[in-house]
Amino acid sequence: MKVIEVKHLTKRYGKHLAVDDLSFTVEKGQIYGFLGPNGAGKSTTMNIMTGYLGATKGEVLIDGHDILKEPEQAKKCIGYLPEQPPVYPDMTVEEYLKFAAGLKQISGEEREIQIEKVMGLTKLGEVRNRLIANLSKGYKQRVGLAQAVLGFPEIIILDEPTVGLDPKQIIEIRELIRRLAKEHTVILSSHILAEIREVCDYILIIAKGKLVASDTPENLENAMSGAGHVEIE
Ligand code: ATP
């Protein structure tokens, strides 16, 4: 079953074409990877899919809702961790998650239940009363993941979730992504092939805003070894 349909998506920043006629679909339950070098258009595509940015042309359907025409219904289906999430250094982890729940209109007992659940899932319980400013980058990223999961949306979108993390933190975030994928459709971006191959069951390769290839990791690897050498940078 399709949960995301992107049709002929195009985005221009002035004269610069950042996303060029991109079309793809994401099936329910997939871990779907966006692979591409810096500037490929991954963040721009994710920002349009999550309703943060308008498109120049094209259509994005989230669980059947057009993100441009029915943004409220579409946004309810998505949890998003942007590449540069807003930071609230003076809040504790728990205060921040309460604030984030409020933004998603989750309140009362339901808010408390969900916060406990996402803190358990992201293993944040032990730092719940710590100021975000005093957390390591790995813990900060888990806080970002926790807010994306609040509301338990069908789709979780993560823009370069492991950038800037050390190897141990990267392994922890990957494990967390796999845990999330048991109950959600997960889309993540990266410019590292090994990382995408490790966690994703379907990969979309983009460069200069255009689709280069999309397939399972196995099929892409076979195609690449057949081609001898494929340059995506
Ligand atoms: P990165 O891994 O560096 O985040 P990306 O694949 O996410 O790269 P985007 O951030 O979507 O790529 O950028 C795509 C292109 O659009 C790049 O050439 C970038 O310089 C340009 N771009 C992005 N945001 C803007 C903006 N607000 N104004 C003008 N150009 C922009």
Side-chain angles (χ1 to χ4, degrees), residues 13 16 18 36-45 83 159-160 191:
Y13 295 108
H16 181 68
N38 290 337
K42 306 182 294 295
S43 299
T44 300
T45 304
E83 191 176 11
D159 194 355
E160 306 223 21
H191 53 267

Side-chain angles (χ1 to χ4, degrees), residues 11-14 16-19 35-47 53 83 159-160 163 189-191 206 208-209:
K11 176 69 184 178
R12 284 182 182 278
Y13 295 108
H16 181 68
L17 190 56
V19 177
L35 177 66
N38 290 337
K42 306 182 294 295
S43 299
T44 300
T45 304
M46 287 182 159
N47 282 331
L53 201 62
E83 191 176 11
D159 194 355
E160 306 223 21
V163 154
S189 68
S190 176
H191 53 267
I206 38 178
K208 294 183 183 150

